[in-house]
Amino acid sequence: MAVAPPDNGTPPDSGPPRNGFDRYFEISARGSTLTREVRGGLATFFTMAYIVVLNPLILGSAVDGDNQTLPIPAIAAATALVAGLMTILMGVVGRFPLAVAAGLGVNALVAYEIAPEMTWADAMGLVVIEGLIIAMLVLTGLRTAVFRSVPTQMKTAIGVGIGLFLTIIGLVDAGFVRRIPDEANTTVPVGLGIGGKLVSWPMLVFVVGLLVTLVLVVRRVKGAILVGILASTVLAMVVEAVGNIGPSFVDGVPNPKGWALNVPTLPSNPFDVPDLSLLGQFNVLDSWGRAGWLVVLMFIFTLLITDFFDTMGTMVAVGQEGGMLDEQGTPPRTREILLVDSIAAASGGAASVSSNTSYIESAAGVAEGARTGVANLVTGVLFLLAMFLAPLVVVVPFEAASVALVVVGFLMMTAVRTIDWSDYEIAIPAFLTIVLMPFTYSISNGIGAGLIVYVVIKLAKGKSREIHPLLYAVAALFVVYFLRGPIEALLF
């Protein structure tokens, strides 16, 4: 079922473990080496280090119900701290190359929908509650049971869909694909570059970096993705030094030809003292009285569904990329992986950085050869260092990091051939799962639509016995999830 990337060179039998460290993390047993794990950990960090910059921008730009804002330096420090600790915990307990950080999408929900109805402490308290609920579902075995109830080919479709999702994220972040302005009077939603043309130096950096990386992958060069990121960053620094291009926004005014997220220049001072004042600034009680229990319950439900199934999809996709799934499409130590992810969700709320979750960018590390939790140790330590080296973390622009996402998207897409497209009962739900992830910019939307349609088709064909009992409940919950807008309008 799973398809390993072409440049792994994994031997069929790597022999007995070399020492206790090797035995605990199963490095040799999974056909890996310490060098590959370090390389994979570096690749994962560089593809997701942007969260240390982006999460503060999202949370720091919003105001709560008391018109208060969170300090951006403190958000950045806490984001790096929680990401580092939870990624290491995932490596040690889950022993799976799945890095953890503040979840995109969830942080926007917290910033722009939840916080305005209450205080920041109240909003983060709801994130803590949601994380604890998911942890209880794991401990009772329900979350693992739901995961196992999903048909194997649907799990494959989830991985393929996430690959396409990663690809569109990379293309958009790099500015290669952009939204066409409303004033253009066209029904086409997106287009190539600026006005259908590649007219900026940052876009050229992305194109050159992507071509170089693809050539390295085709030639089976080890470390191809990591080399691509670093080479693109160096090229970006040279271009910025010569052209003085600047950021994509200057004093709030758009600069379409500028660098996205980070300007690739060496900082004058690479060190910074982290501000950890946001740790513990959460409240789990006051929101119920201030916003009302119905509003609070809908917020918790939305957070719960998003975290629950995003992680399931990410775990499958990363395992599929590394050939680490069993015949049922299940990765090793599933229960431990899900438990750490649940703890991370609550920890993110407790640190005021929003729910932390498993990152699909981990697939970049797996594509570089990571197969164990050792890669997480590398990524986690780098996140902890990022608290002190924040100026260095922001050297890599989106145009350089996005190269990895597009290449990994291709590698994950290769598993599409294992789906039986002649069987419409599985092919149609799989198709919807795959296409709705990139087209709606949501992993949960794709999973939800696919599972609902799967259940409906099986019932229409009179094959209700082929549906796992838990899938009925999951499909019903997703119906509520998709209809939460009308439900909220009726209730509130």
Side-chain angles (χ1 to χ4, degrees), residues 189-200:
V190 295
L192 175 68
I194 302 172
K197 302 175 182 178
L198 302 178
V199 293
S200 73

Side-chain angles (χ1 to χ4, degrees), residues 143-168:
R143 194 179 188 189
T144 305
V146 169
F147 174 78
R148 294 182 185 278
S149 71
V150 177
T152 300
Q153 291 194 63
M154 285 296 291
K155 292 177 182 175
T156 301
I158 290 171
V160 174
I162 291 177
L164 289 179
F165 184 38
L166 273 181
T167 300
I168 190 67

Side-chain angles (χ1 to χ4, degrees), residues 84-99:
L85 293 178
M86 291 300 106
T87 296
I88 291 172
L89 185 65
M90 180 68 79
V92 174
V93 177
R95 306 180 204 174
F96 195 71
L98 196 61

